[in-house]
C-alpha cells in the first residue's frame, strides 16, 4: 500500500484533553514526521499541526480517533505525493 504525506490539523478547546491527544499521537508515532502546537490563550484553544507519511487508512484512523474526542476537531489534508 502506498504511503501519502498529509497534514492533520487539530483544534482542541479543553486543555485537559491534551493527554488523550498525545496518547493517540504516540500510538502512531512511527508515521509522524513532525508536529507543532500553539496555544491560543485569547480564544482558549490549542492548535496543533501534525505531518504524517502513512497509508490512507492510517491517516484516516488518526484523524478519526482525534475527531471523536470531546471538544476536538481534526481534519486531514492529503498531498499528491505518494511513495
Amino acid at each position: 500500500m502506498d504511503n501519502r504525506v498529509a497534514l492533520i490539523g487539530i483544534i482542541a478547546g479543553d486543555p485537559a484533553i491534551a493527554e488523550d491527544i498525545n496518547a493517540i499521537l504516540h500510538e502512531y508515532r512511527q508515521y509522524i514526521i513532525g508536529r507543532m502546537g500553539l496555544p491560543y490563550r485569547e480564544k482558549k484553544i490549542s492548535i496543533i499541526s501534525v505531518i504524517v507519511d502513512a497509508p490512507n487508512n492510517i491517516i484516516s484512523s488518526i484523524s478519526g480517533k482525534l475527531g471523536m474526542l470531546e471538544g476536538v476537531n481534526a481534519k486531514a489534508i492529503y498531498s499528491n505525493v505518494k511513495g
Side-chain angles (χ1 to χ4, degrees):
M1 183 175 283
D2 285 340
N3 280 10
R4 297 208 38 204
V5 175
L7 167 71
I8 301 174
I10 306 162
I11 298 178
D14 181 3
I17 202 75
E19 191 173 319
D20 294 331
I21 292 171
N22 284 327
I24 293 168
L25 296 178
H26 182 75
E27 180 182 346
Y28 294 98
R29 68 190 172 277
Q30 69 268 29
Y31 302 105
I32 295 175
I33 298 168
R35 64 187 271 190
M36 177 181 65
L38 298 169
Y40 190 0
R41 290 179 185 90
E42 227 173 77
K43 301 287 183 177
K44 296 182 179 159
I45 60 173
S46 294
I47 304 161
I48 305 164
S49 300
V50 180
I51 299 92
V52 297
D53 185 351
N56 283 341
N57 63 327
I58 297 294
I59 297 168
S60 294
S61 181
I62 298 168
S63 182
K65 286 181 180 184
L66 290 166
M68 290 188 328
L69 296 173
E70 177 107 13
V72 174
N73 292 319
K75 300 288 182 210
I77 302 169
Y78 295 84
S79 75
N80 292 328
V81 177
K82 294 183 181 182

